[in-house]
Amino acid sequence: MSKTYQAIVIGAGPAGSSAALTMARAGLDVALVERGSFPGEKNMFGGLLHRMPSLEKIFPDFWERAPLERHIVKKGVTFMTGDSSFSTTIEAGSFDKPPYNGYTVFRPRFDRWLAEEAVAAGATLITSSTVDEIVLKNGKITGVTILGRSGQISAPVLVAADGVLSFTAQKAGLRKPTFDPAQMAVGVKALIDMPREMIDERFGLVRDQGFANEFVGCTEGVRGGGCFYTNYDSLSLGLVFHLASLRTSGKTPYDLLNAFMEQPQVAKMISGGKLLEYSAHLIPEGGYDMIPELVGDGIIVAGDAAAFCNATGLNLEGINLASHSGVVAGEAVIAAHRAGDFSKQGLTAYKKLLEESFVIKDLKQARNAPHMLHNNRIYHEYPEMMCDFMENIYKIEGIPKKNVTRLFLKSAREKVGLGNLLADGFSAWRSL
Amino acid sequence: MNIDEIFDNTSFTIDREAHIVLNYEICTGCDNRGCVNSCPARCYTWSQEEQKMTFVHDGCLECGTCYVVCHKNAFTRWRYPRGGFGVAYRMT
């Protein structure tokens, strides 16, 4: 295999396929290289597909066209202990009207669809091909070598959309040779088969409505959290752990996932279901400070490869950032072709456009959040405090009641410590 | 549900050639071995009696956790499997 293209996109995930789609629609001869036997085969997430501004612009009928599951009308947060839980849920009328705020999706279906749209626009999809080395000639990027289908393909410019570990960005000298475990998290997920009617009835849903929930306190003190999503006829249940914390905890992701599934309230949510699939993936959670060099001579970095992931609040965003960065990368390559300049300078429009967009602006705004989330008390003591406080509020035992402030202070003193509460409150306020 | 059931439910096309290769001597001298508990696929096993690390790439989910948690850089090779091999998610 040896062929010359006008651009090579490495990785057919949301970033790569969006880039290839953008370039192909502008008439560029672009190769989209994917290591899976089909796009999406290696991909998983524990999240929702939120509004996709750049893809909605390309496809005005995006929401009818894309293979989606349920639209989320109900979003909850649960603070959890070994046997208790305190939840808040918002079910908003606007979440049940188009344009919907978020959907559940299956990545092997969604990613495959998006890559097929790129192919329909004229991109060449090359599957079962792991990119190995960057080929240089006189110091300039001229292509890549491929493992699997041994060979080499050529192009004057690459878009590295090869995911969170991006060996392409590393080989181009754009990302550091090692990662900081404090900036990375691993997500593990169980997909659980359940009949559609059972899901509707159990979670109070009608039509294509869906429910999504986040959990804190379900990781036995390891920094991280849980998530739950309803698909049409299956449930996704997952846990995410900060690697710096997991590494020293001695606990294993699968034992923690098992314990989570057996927590009495979670067990009721999934009971009667059958396990279909188990998956794991890394999440670049370092935010703004983790972003590598985005542009080099003959190369642009997009999506997870560029750490475009906003996973520090109650909304977990990644695909929307990836797809937008892919489209912008595609536009920058189109401009570079017009100017005949693939140098770092010639591709710099990418960086500028991203800095003006929600991608960099949101990450910049949440810059300090990753540090705040390294407070271990969030993952054990605070959920304990919340559950204890609520439990005491609702307890009626035929003895005189304490007032609410006293009850709160009692729970806070016993579970967190008042000094810690003050200090944490102050640092949370400062970082917001 | 239990842990063994978890591993029975994911599909793989196993490559005979391992995509991750370790220098076990480094593992023996490691003070942390966070890979053993952190790997979501149970690929790493440490034997205390034999003072020996065992790694099996068959059930690797290609997540990269070991690549990040190993602070000794014990890998003589760490890359993704050749095209067409490795884990294959169907839905997830």
Side-chain angles (χ1 to χ4, degrees):
Chain A
M1 181 175 53
S2 170
K3 206 188 158 227
T4 300
Y5 298 89
Q6 287 176 291
I8 297 168
V9 177
I10 303 157
S17 290
S18 297
L21 175 66
T22 304
M23 289 186 252
R25 282 168 62 102
L28 290 193
D29 187 13
V30 53
L32 178 57
V33 187
E34 164 58 40
R35 68 187 185 90
S37 65
F38 64 87
E41 184 186 41
K42 305 285 186 180
N43 300 354
M44 76 81 109
F45 79 151
L48 300 175
L49 189 74
H50 290 287
R51 295 296 300 279
M52 302 284 275
S54 39
L55 286 185
E56 287 176 43
K57 211 157 121 194
I58 294 173
F59 303 119
D61 60 343
F62 175 77
W63 300 106
E64 284 81 53
R65 226 173 150 115
L68 308 167
E69 293 280 308
R70 295 169 183 258
H71 66 271
I72 299 302
V73 296
K74 216 192 274 199
K75 275 201 98 166
V77 192
T78 299
F79 298 90
M80 182 169 272
T81 72
D83 69 347
S84 305
S85 57
F86 168 57
S87 303
T88 61
T89 312
I90 166 86
E91 184 164 356
S94 75
F95 290 173
D96 200 24
K97 292 188 192 92
Y100 297 117
N101 183 52
Y103 283 89
T104 45
V105 299
F106 288 128
R107 297 294 301 280
R109 283 185 197 157
F110 181 81
D111 292 17
R112 187 177 207 162
W113 164 78
L114 190 56
E116 277 164 6
E117 291 285 1
V119 170
T124 305
L125 176 64
I126 305 169
T127 56
S128 297
S129 299
T130 307
V131 165
D132 193 18
E133 298 292 342
I134 296 174
V135 181
L136 297 168
K137 207 170 189 180
N138 303 325
K140 271 191 181 159
I141 286 178
T142 59
V144 294
T145 62
I146 284 171
L147 282 167
R149 309 177 177 209
S150 294
Q152 175 176 335
I153 52 173
S154 305
V157 58
L158 312 176
V159 175
D162 49 341
V164 54
L165 294 183
S166 190
F167 291 109
T168 309
Q170 183 197 11
K171 284 167 183 166
L174 300 179
R175 80 144 166 91
K176 289 185 212 136
T178 54
F179 288 104
D180 179 357
Q183 293 188 320
M184 281 281 201
V186 62
V188 292
K189 195 168 87 172
L191 186 75
I192 297 157
D193 186 43
M194 190 174 280
R196 190 176 174 146
E197 305 72 40
M198 198 164 166
I199 295 174
D200 287 345
E201 205 159 301
R202 186 169 292 182
F203 301 102
L205 306 167
V206 295
R207 291 176 275 113
D208 293 339
Q209 291 180 338
F211 170 50
N213 202 74
E214 316 291 334
F215 298 83
V216 190
C218 53
T219 48
E220 297 183 14
V222 179
R223 291 199 301 269
C227 55
F228 170 84
Y229 303 96
T230 55
N231 309 306
Y232 279 137
D233 49 15
S234 62
L235 308 173
S236 300
L237 189 71
L239 289 177
V240 172
F241 313 101
H242 291 173
L243 284 187
S245 177
L246 178 68
R247 172 167 82 167
T248 52
S249 70
K251 296 179 197 295
T252 71
Y254 38 88
D255 288 334
L256 289 168
L257 183 61
N258 254 331
F260 182 43
M261 292 197 283
E262 284 167 7
Q263 199 276 0
Q265 286 93 51
V266 176
K268 279 194 285 184
M269 293 167 81
I270 61 171
S271 84
K274 188 177 151 286
L275 189 70
L276 287 179
E277 199 160 54
Y278 171 65
S279 54
H281 210 285
L282 284 188
I283 308 162
E285 286 210 340
Y288 186 78
D289 292 331
M290 192 181 172
I291 299 174
E293 288 289 328
L294 294 174
V295 179
D297 287 328
I299 182 168
I300 288 177
V301 189
D304 268 8
F308 292 151
C309 187
N310 199 349
T312 47
L314 283 176
N315 288 315
L316 309 170
E317 300 176 51
I319 292 193
N320 50 348
L321 311 187
S323 177
H324 188 73
S325 70
V327 169
V328 174
E331 286 165 355
V333 171
I334 295 163
H337 263 284
R338 270 194 212 116
D341 179 5
F342 304 105
S343 68
K344 185 174 178 178
Q345 188 57 35
L347 295 168
T348 199
Y350 174 64
K351 218 175 145 182
K352 195 169 158 285
L353 286 170
L354 277 186
E355 277 164 3
E356 288 163 5
S357 77
F358 71 101
V359 175
I360 300 280
K361 283 193 167 157
D362 286 358
L363 286 170
K364 212 168 187 171
Q365 184 174 295
R367 187 174 192 168
N368 291 322
H371 307 295
M372 192 189 85
L373 293 173
H374 283 186
N375 180 341
N376 284 332
R377 284 188 286 276
I378 297 172
Y379 309 98
H380 183 71
E381 282 85 346
Y382 282 108
E384 291 264 350
M385 180 189 88
M386 300 281 271
C387 289
D388 187 66
F389 172 57
M390 294 310 293
E391 196 180 322
N392 287 329
I393 278 194
Y394 287 117
K395 240 179 211 164
I396 297 170
E397 297 174 301
I399 52 172
K401 293 184 186 65
K402 289 193 178 113
N403 74 31
V404 173
T405 314
R406 283 232 174 118
L407 281 178
F408 178 77
L409 288 175
K410 181 175 173 286
S411 297
R413 198 178 298 121
E414 281 172 15
K415 302 292 182 185
V416 180
L418 293 179
N420 289 333
L421 183 68
L422 275 174
D424 295 342
F426 182 67
S427 66
W429 172 74
R430 261 185 31 162
S431 80
L432 296 173
Chain B
M1 270 171 238
N2 69 54
I3 179 64
D4 295 310
E5 201 187 330
I6 281 180
F7 292 117
D8 287 345
N9 280 281
T10 302
S11 312
F12 298 91
T13 309
I14 297 163
D15 192 351
R16 288 214 319 255
E17 187 188 326
H19 58 288
I20 298 172
V21 179
L22 283 165
N23 177 350
Y24 292 114
E25 276 175 36
I26 296 178
C27 305
T28 304
C30 182
D31 56 344
N32 183 284
R33 290 187 283 268
C35 53
V36 174
N37 73 286
S38 301
C39 171
R42 221 167 34 177
C43 291
Y44 293 82
T45 323
W46 171 252
S47 162
Q48 192 63 37
E49 296 106 74
E50 296 171 62
Q51 291 289 300
K52 194 175 155 232
M53 182 73 84
T54 313
F55 170 77
V56 186
H57 74 281
D58 292 10
C60 174
L61 297 167
E62 299 159 37
C63 69
T65 297
C66 56
Y67 181 75
V68 177
V69 299
C70 177
H71 66 309
K72 295 274 185 188
N73 193 17
F75 305 108
T76 47
R77 174 194 290 163
W78 202 111
R79 58 166 171 76
Y80 289 116
R82 291 187 292 166
F85 289 99
V87 69
Y89 296 135
R90 291 156 299 166
M91 308 178 72
T92 212

